[in-house]
Amino acid sequence: MATTCLVVMGVSGSGKSTVARLLADRLGWPMAEADEFHPEANIAKMTAGIPLTDADRGPWLRTLRDWISKQDKAGQGTVVTCSALKREYRDVLRGASARVHFVHLHGTQEVIAERLASRSGHFMPPSLLASQFAALEPLGADEDGTTVDVTATPDRIVDRVVAELEH
Ligand SMILES: Nc1ncnc2c1ncn2[C@@H]1O[C@H](COP(=O)(O)OP(=O)(O)OP(=O)(O)O)[C@@H](O)[C@H]1O
Ligand SMILES: O=C(O)[C@H](O)[C@@H](O)[C@H](O)[C@H](O)CO
């Protein structure tokens, strides 16, 4: 039987790393940060304040998909952080052998901009936030996923996702 991969998605600063860490600890599953799968060129681009294109994101998403499948083949459920902004990007991840369930951390640009402004030591410049929102396509009703509001505490968000999984 296929394992489950929870992909914690959303724009930069929506809380993906924070929530995914807690979820992975709660479930006892390994976690992967999609940022660690980006080629150097993508990180350099974002650091320079240039948004990634579909072509930049294609190979990155496929590498991540293959990691999810490899874990699944070993019988291992996973938690992954990935912006997964567009449906076509999520389609790539859905190509993994696991059941891929998305958790969209949804918040207004205002709330997330405030969080980015007070975060330090991260390569992603707050100036890219508008381009992240421009690219974002929220989950469709037909997509396997849960949308949660980022104004809840990380613990509450995790409670909600775990409850959803047990359904
Ligand atoms: N639910 C929350 N409530 C309040 N603050 C939060 C919440 N989740 C995350 N934060 C804070 O918001 C900031 C952004 O969170 P985090 O780095 O986890 O986001 P991210 O989506 O992983 O970002 P990126 O995609 O840029 O790596 C951090 O300073 C984090 O501590
Ligand atoms: O698709 C993208 O544009 C990227 O994945 C970005 O979203 C960042 O890598 C991530 O959010 C870290 O700040």
Side-chain angles (χ1 to χ4, degrees), residues 11-18 35 115 119 122 150 152-154 157:
V11 297
S12 175
S14 55
K16 300 184 293 292
S17 301
T18 307
D35 274 351
R115 290 186 187 171
R119 184 174 74 170
H122 196 290
V150 299
T153 63
I157 293 173

Side-chain angles (χ1 to χ4, degrees), residues 10-12 16 35 38 46 52 57 60 83 85 119 122-124 132:
V11 297
S12 175
K16 300 184 293 292
D35 274 351
H38 272 303
M46 291 187 278
L52 300 181
R57 290 178 176 129
W60 164 66
S83 46
L85 298 174
R119 184 174 74 170
H122 196 290
F123 70 85
M124 189 76 172
Q132 295 267 301

Side-chain angles (χ1 to χ4, degrees), residues 37-50:
F37 290 71
H38 272 303
E40 282 288 322
N42 283 4
I43 300 285
K45 239 179 145 171
M46 291 187 278
T47 305
I50 305 164

Side-chain angles (χ1 to χ4, degrees), residues 8 18 37-38 47 54 61 66 71 98 103 106 118 136 141 152 162:
V8 183
T18 307
F37 290 71
H38 272 303
T47 305
D54 291 349
L61 290 162
D66 293 346
Q71 297 292 323
V103 176
H106 172 269
S118 52
L136 177 65
V162 170

Side-chain angles (χ1 to χ4, degrees), residues 38-145:
H38 272 303
E40 282 288 322
N42 283 4
I43 300 285
K45 239 179 145 171
M46 291 187 278
T47 305
I50 305 164
L52 300 181
T53 62
D54 291 349
D56 294 325
R57 290 178 176 129
W60 164 66
L61 290 162
R62 291 192 287 275
T63 312
L64 192 58
R65 173 200 63 198
D66 293 346
W67 183 85
I68 297 167
S69 291
K70 194 173 164 206
Q71 297 292 323
D72 174 60
K73 300 258 160 65
Q76 186 61 64
T78 49
V79 180
V80 169
T81 65
C82 180
S83 46
L85 298 174
K86 299 187 188 178
R87 177 189 274 259
E88 66 182 89
Y89 303 163
R90 298 191 289 274
D91 285 341
V92 175
L93 300 180
R94 273 188 281 266
S97 54
R99 170 199 175 195
V100 178
H101 180 89
F102 291 90
V103 176
H104 179 198
L105 301 179
H106 172 269
T108 64
Q109 194 165 333
E110 204 180 6
V111 166
I112 292 174
E114 258 174 45
R115 290 186 187 171
L116 282 180
S118 52
R119 184 174 74 170
S120 58
H122 196 290
F123 70 85
M124 189 76 172
S127 60
L128 277 181
L129 188 59
S131 70
Q132 295 267 301
F133 271 96
L136 177 65
E137 294 169 5
L139 288 171
D142 59 327
E143 292 185 81
D144 184 357

